[in-house]
C-alpha cells in the first residue's frame, strides 16, 4: 500500500486526501491548524462541501486517513497550500510562496530518495522548480535526476481544477494536466492520480502545467471583463446590456459571459496576476482585464450614490455578500466590499446588508455603525434604494411587487 502525505487540509487538500484514501492509499493529512486536524481525526469536516463528509468519515473510521501537524515520512507528498498574492517591493502583485516553502521545508528531512512530491497549489511559472530547490538546499545529498549518483526525488505539478460546491464530482471526473520536472516524475504522478481520476491524464513539463492552470482562470477573467466593459458602455449608450448579450449570443460563435459587480473568489481574481507578474510587458490584455474587473465595484458604488443623491439620509438594501450565487463564501467578494464601502462613503445612510446563506453578520462588517445585517424582506421593505449584488436563488424568485417605488440598481440583470 502506498503511503501518501497531503500537506494542507483545505478545500483542495482534504477532498484529495479523502479520495486517495477511498482508492486504497494510506493517507496522512498535515495542517498547521488545530481545528482542521482535530475535525478530520473526529471524521468531521472543518468546512462545508457537498458529499465530502461521508468520504472523510468512512476513511477515518477505516483507519485509512488521519491528520497531524508534523510532516511524516511517506512515499508520495501532495502539497495543496494557499498561494495568495501580496504586494511586491515595487507595488506589483506577486505570489506569496511562503506556504509552499514551509511545506517543502517540512518534507525535506523525511526524504530518503525515490519519493514523489507533487505541487497542486495554483502557482506562478517556475514554482515547482523553486519548491525542488528549497528541498534540495536543505538536502544536498539528494537530486532531481540522479546527478553525481545522488538518490532521486521526483517532482511534479498537478494543478487542481475543481469548482467549489462540485468538488467531489469534479475531482473524479475532470481531466488533469500533470507536468514533471522530469518525464519520469510526470509518469509517477500519473500513476497516483489514475487511482481515483476517471478523466484524461495529460503529461507535460512542470512549467507548461503551471501556465495551463493560470491560463484557464485568466481566460475566464478576460471574458468576464469583456462583459463588464460592455455593461459600462451600454449604460452610456442607454442600451440594455442583458438583452444585448442574449442577442449577440444567438451567433453560433459568440458566447459572452455575464456582467456583474466585479470578480471575486480566491482564484479568478488572483491567478491572472501571476501571469502579469511573470511577464509584465507582454501580459497587456490580461492586465487590463484585471483592472476592468477590479474597477467595477467603484462603478457600482457611484451608481448607488447617484440613485440616492437627492435623499438626506437614504436607506440602502444591499442584497448579497457572497462572491457568487448560492454559496456562503465571502473571499475576495466584490459584494462585501461594495456594502462596506457604501456605508463608509455615505455615513448619513443606513445600509441593510443581506446574505441568505449565512446566519451571523461577517466580521468584515463589524465596526460600521450604519450597517445592519437583516433578512431580505425587512431590508427591501425599509429601503429607498435596493442594490442587487449577487444572483442568489432567493432574489431571483422575489415577488417583484416588493420593489414597487424603490430605486433599483441591479448589477446582475435578474430583474430586467
Ligand atoms: N462571474 C461573473 N460573470 C460570469 C461568471 C462569473 O461575474 O459570467 C464572477 C462570479 O460572480 C465570481 C467570479 O466571477 O465572482 C468567479 O466565479 P466562477 O464561478 O467563474 O469561478 P470560481 O472562482 O468559483 O472557480 C474557478 C473555476 N475556473 C474556471 O472556470 C476556469 C474552477 O474550475 C477552478 O478550479 C477555480 O476557479 C480555481 O480553484 O482555480
Amino acid at each position: 500500500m502506498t503511503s501518501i502525505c497531503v500537506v494542507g487540509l483545505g478545500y483542495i487538500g482534504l477532498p484529495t486526501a479523502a479520495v486517495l484514501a477511498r482508492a486504497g492509499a494510506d493517507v496522512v493529512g498535515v495542517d498547521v491548524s488545530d481545528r482542521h486536524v482535530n475535525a478530520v481525526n473526529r471524521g468531521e469536516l472543518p468546512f462545508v462541501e457537498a458529499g465530502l463528509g461521508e468520504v472523510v468519515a468512512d476513511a477515518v473510521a477505516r483507519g485509512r486517513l488521519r491528520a497531524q501537524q508534523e510532516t511524516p515520512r511517506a512515499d508520495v507528498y501532495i502539497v495543496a497550500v494557499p498561494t495568495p498574492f501580496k504586494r511586491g517591493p515595487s507595488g506589483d502583485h506577486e505570489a506569496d510562496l511562503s506556504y509552499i516553502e514551509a511545506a517543502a521545508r517540512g518534507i525535506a528531512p523525511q526524504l530518503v530518495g525515490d519519493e514523489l512530491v507533487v505541487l497542486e497549489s495554483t502557482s506562478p511559472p517556475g514554482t515547482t522548480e523553486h519548491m525542488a530547490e528549497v528541498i534540495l538546499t536543505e538536502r544536498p545529498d539528494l537530486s532531481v535526476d540522479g546527478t553525481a549518483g545522488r538518490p532521486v526525488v521526483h517532482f511534479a505539478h498537478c494543478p487542481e481544477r475543481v469548482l467549489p460546491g462540485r468538488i467531489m464530482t469534479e475531482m473524479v471526473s475532470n481531466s488533469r494536466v500533470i507536468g514533471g520536472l522530469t518525464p519520469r516524475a510526470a509518469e509517477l504522478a500519473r500513476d497516483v492520480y489514475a487511482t481515483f481520476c476517471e478523466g484524461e491524464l495529460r503529461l507535460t513539463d512542470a512549467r507548461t502545467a503551471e501556465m495551463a492552470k493560470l491560463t484557464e482562470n485568466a481566460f475566464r477573467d478576460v471574458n468576464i471583463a469583456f462583459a463588464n466593459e460592455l455593461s459600462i458602455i451600454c449604460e452610456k449608450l442607454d442600451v440594455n446590456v442583458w438583452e444585448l448579450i442574449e442577442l449577440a449570443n444567438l451567433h453560433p460563435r459568440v458566447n459572452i459571459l455575464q456582467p456583474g459587480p466585479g470578480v471575486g473568489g480566491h482564484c479568478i481574481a488572483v491567478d491572472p496576476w501571476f501571469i502579469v507578474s511573470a511577464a509584465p510587458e507582454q501580459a497587456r490584455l490580461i492586465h487590463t482585464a484585471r483592472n476592468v474587473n477590479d474597477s467595477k465595484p467603484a462603478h457600482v458604488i457611484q451608481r448607488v450614490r447617484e440613485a440616492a443623491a437627492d435623499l438626506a439620509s437614504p436607506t440602502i438594501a444591499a442584497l448579497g455578500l457572497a462572491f457568487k450565487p448560492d454559496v456562503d463564501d465571502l473571499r475576495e467578494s466584490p459584494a462585501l466590499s461594495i456594502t462596506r464601502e457604501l456605508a463608509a462613503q455615505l455615513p448619513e445612510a443606513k445600509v441593510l446588508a443581506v446574505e441568505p446563506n449565512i446566519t451571523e453578520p461577517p466580521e468584515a462588517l463589524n465596526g460600521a455603525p450604519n450597517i445592519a445585517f437583516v433578512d431580505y424582506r425587512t431590508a427591501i421593505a425599509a429601503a429607498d434604494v435596493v442594490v442587487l449584488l449577487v444572483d442568489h436563488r432567493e432574489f431571483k424568485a422575489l415577488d417583484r411587487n416588493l420593489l414597487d417605488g424603490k430605486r433599483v440598481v441591479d448589477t446582475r440583470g435578474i430583474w430586467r
Side-chain angles (χ1 to χ4, degrees), residues 160-164 213 216-217 220 224 257-258 260 262-264 266-268 271 323-324 412:
E160 62 83 10
R161 287 175 143 172
V162 288
L163 197 70
K213 166 68 194 194
E216 291 159 16
N217 281 351
R220 197 153 168 83
I224 298 169
L257 294 179
Q258 297 298 303
V263 169
H266 45 107
C267 310
I268 295 189
D271 301 352
F323 88 91
K324 67 179 193 176
R412 295 282 182 178

Side-chain angles (χ1 to χ4, degrees), residues 132-382:
E133 274 162 23
V134 171
I135 289 181
L136 295 181
T137 304
E138 305 265 320
R139 294 294 306 277
D141 54 315
L142 301 171
S143 73
V144 169
D145 53 8
T147 313
R150 292 196 282 268
V152 176
V153 179
H154 306 277
F155 292 95
H157 182 51
C158 182
E160 62 83 10
R161 287 175 143 172
V162 288
L163 197 70
R166 291 179 39 82
I167 291 179
M168 293 310 279
T169 317
E170 292 204 1
M171 188 153 285
V172 174
S173 62
N174 286 2
S175 57
R176 305 284 294 239
V177 176
I178 301 175
L181 283 194
T182 59
R184 177 80 187 126
E187 284 163 12
L188 290 169
R190 176 180 53 199
D191 294 346
V192 172
Y193 286 88
T195 62
F196 69 85
C197 179
E198 291 166 7
E200 204 182 329
L201 301 171
R202 289 289 290 267
L203 306 194
T204 181
D205 58 85
R207 196 171 274 253
T208 307
E210 287 157 351
M211 268 307 277
K213 166 68 194 194
L214 301 179
T215 299
E216 291 159 16
N217 281 351
F219 174 85
R220 197 153 168 83
D221 197 45
V222 168
N223 281 279
I224 298 169
F226 183 78
N228 277 335
E229 181 164 297
L230 267 183
S231 73
I232 295 172
I233 294 170
C234 283
E235 272 170 34
K236 180 176 163 70
L237 303 181
D238 200 19
V239 169
N240 182 317
V241 70
W242 318 100
E243 184 191 359
L244 172 77
I245 290 174
E246 202 176 302
L247 296 177
N249 282 349
L250 291 173
H251 186 289
R253 283 174 297 282
V254 174
N255 185 11
I256 303 169
L257 294 179
Q258 297 298 303
V263 169
H266 45 107
C267 310
I268 295 189
V270 176
D271 301 352
W273 286 122
F274 298 170
I275 299 182
V276 174
S277 90
E281 309 243 312
Q282 292 76 15
R284 292 183 298 161
L285 180 63
I286 294 170
H287 193 168
T288 302
R290 247 334 27 252
N291 287 341
V292 168
N293 286 335
D294 271 355
S295 66
K296 195 70 199 288
H299 180 80
V300 173
I301 290 166
Q302 188 50 33
R303 282 188 58 203
V304 176
R305 292 188 67 151
E306 284 162 15
D310 59 329
L311 302 170
S313 50
T315 298
I316 300 169
L319 301 192
L321 296 172
F323 88 91
K324 67 179 193 176
D326 306 322
V327 299
D328 63 353
D329 193 337
L330 306 182
R331 285 177 292 178
E332 309 285 333
S333 171
L336 181 64
S337 66
I338 289 169
T339 303
R340 214 173 31 206
E341 196 51 31
L342 277 171
Q345 288 188 21
L346 299 169
E348 69 286 6
K350 174 116 192 129
V351 176
L352 302 174
V354 176
E355 178 44 72
N357 296 295
I358 58 179
T359 48
E360 296 294 320
E363 251 174 56
L365 298 185
N366 286 352
N370 56 339
I371 300 187
F373 186 72
V374 299
D375 69 86
Y376 71 87
R377 284 197 182 79
T378 310
I380 294 172

Side-chain angles (χ1 to χ4, degrees), residues 392-404:
H392 288 314
R393 59 173 78 87
E394 293 83 352
F395 306 150
K396 285 187 187 159
L398 191 85
D399 174 2
R400 304 293 155 85
N401 294 326
L402 296 176
L403 298 172
D404 282 352

